[in-house]
Amino acid sequence: MISIWTFLLTLVIFLVSVAVIVYGFRDGNRIAIVLSLDAGIISALGLVLNATTLGELQATDLLVFCALPLVFALAAAAICRFYRPADTLGAI
């Protein structure tokens, strides 16, 4: 039987990653897009690993497949929200 708590945790992190992917593509920042796609891929792998091992994820698995994508997703969202490139040519 799949451990429901780790499955729900990985599912929520995957859905957050997908939301940040959409937000990154709408903003158009390339760094945010790459970070959000990395978060989405890593969290999807964690979701598949959790389903195939019947929820037997260890602490290092949770760290790699839950914490790392969450950090990437938060960083991408922060870049989209707060980073605005300086206008190098001035107002034309």
Side-chain angles (χ1 to χ4, degrees), residues 27 29 31 78-86:
D27 187 57
N29 189 317
I31 297 171
I79 287 171
C80 287
R81 173 69 176 100
F82 297 113
Y83 176 72
R84 297 290 174 241

Side-chain angles (χ1 to χ4, degrees), residues 2 6 8-10 13 18 21 38 43 48 50 54 60 70-71 73 86 88 91-92:
I2 295 176
T6 58
L8 286 177
L9 180 67
T10 54
I13 298 216
V18 169
I21 289 170
D38 287 343
S43 63
V48 169
N50 195 358
L54 300 176
T60 54
L70 188 61
V71 168
T88 56
I92 298 177

Side-chain angles (χ1 to χ4, degrees), residues 43-54:
S43 63
L45 288 174
L47 192 62
V48 169
L49 180 69
N50 195 358
T52 56
T53 61
L54 300 176

Side-chain angles (χ1 to χ4, degrees), residues 5-77:
W5 298 112
T6 58
F7 182 73
L8 286 177
L9 180 67
T10 54
L11 182 64
V12 166
I13 298 216
F14 174 70
L15 293 175
V16 166
S17 299
V18 169
V20 173
I21 289 170
V22 171
Y23 185 46
F25 273 109
R26 289 188 61 166
D27 187 57
N29 189 317
R30 291 179 185 159
I31 297 171
I33 291 171
V34 169
L35 280 175
S36 62
L37 286 174
D38 287 343
I41 290 170
I42 294 170
S43 63
L45 288 174
L47 192 62
V48 169
L49 180 69
N50 195 358
T52 56
T53 61
L54 300 176
E56 301 272 336
L57 294 181
Q58 302 299 319
T60 54
D61 297 333
L62 289 174
L63 182 69
V64 169
F65 294 114
C66 290
L68 187 64
L70 188 61
V71 168
F72 283 172
L74 290 176

